[in-house]
Amino acid sequence: MKTVMEKPTRAEQKFAKAAMSELDKMNGKKKIPRVYLSIQSSVSEQMEAVEIPPYVVQYLKFLLENMAEGKAVQVSPIEAELTTQEAADLLGVSRPFLVKLLEQGKIPFKKVGAHRRVSLEDLLLYEHAQKAIREKQLNFIASQAQDLNIGYEL
C-alpha cells in the first residue's frame, strides 16, 4: 500500500482554502452541483471534462479541509492489508508492540509466508475500541475527582 503522510506546505494549505471556498460557493445553491474535472491533454492541448460523482466530491472536501488545516491525510481502501510496520505507524506505536498485540489475539491477522498482514478494517475497529475504553476510564476518573471535591469539574 502506497502511503503519503507528509504535511502540506503553506502554499498547498492556501490552495486548499481557496478550493474549499469555491466548493462552498457551489454547495450554497439549492440544487446539488455537478462537479467536473478539466483535463488538458499534453499531446493535443485539448481540454476534456470528466464528471465527478457526488460522493467523491465529499471525499475531496474532506481532503481539502484537512489540507487547509495543515494535516497529513491518508486514503486507503478499507479492504487494504497492511504490513506490521504500516499498521504500527497508523496506530502510532512501535512495530514490536504491535506484534505483541497480534500475538495476544487483540488484533486479528493472517500470515503470508513468514510475514504478518493486518486488515485495515480490523485495525480501525481495534483503534475505535481503544478510544472508547480510554474515554470511559477518563470519565470515571473525572467522576471520582468530582466526588472527592478535588477541584475538577465535568
Side-chain angles (χ1 to χ4, degrees), residues 13 25 35-36 119 141:
Q13 287 176 358
K25 284 179 192 173
V35 176
Y36 293 89
S119 97
I141 290 170

Side-chain angles (χ1 to χ4, degrees), residues 47 52 115:
M47 293 292 282
I52 305 296
H115 303 283

Side-chain angles (χ1 to χ4, degrees), residues 22-41:
E22 290 300 315
L23 277 176
D24 286 341
K25 284 179 192 173
M26 290 177 6
N27 283 341
K29 299 174 183 172
K30 298 207 182 238
K31 185 178 165 191
I32 296 174
R34 288 187 162 186
V35 176
Y36 293 89
L37 178 65
S38 295
I39 304 171
Q40 183 174 5
S41 171

Side-chain angles (χ1 to χ4, degrees), residues 53-69:
Y55 70 91
V56 174
V57 174
Q58 294 302 333
Y59 287 129
L60 181 60
K61 283 185 71 172
F62 172 78
L63 290 170
L64 290 171
E65 286 170 0
N66 282 281
M67 275 183 69
E69 294 174 10

Side-chain angles (χ1 to χ4, degrees), residues 134-154:
R134 283 193 303 271
E135 187 173 324
K136 183 179 177 183
Q137 290 172 340
L138 185 60
N139 287 338
F140 175 73
I141 290 170
S143 174
Q144 277 188 326
Q146 191 172 22
D147 291 345
L148 296 172
N149 199 21
I150 296 178
Y152 297 102
E153 294 187 26
L154 290 176

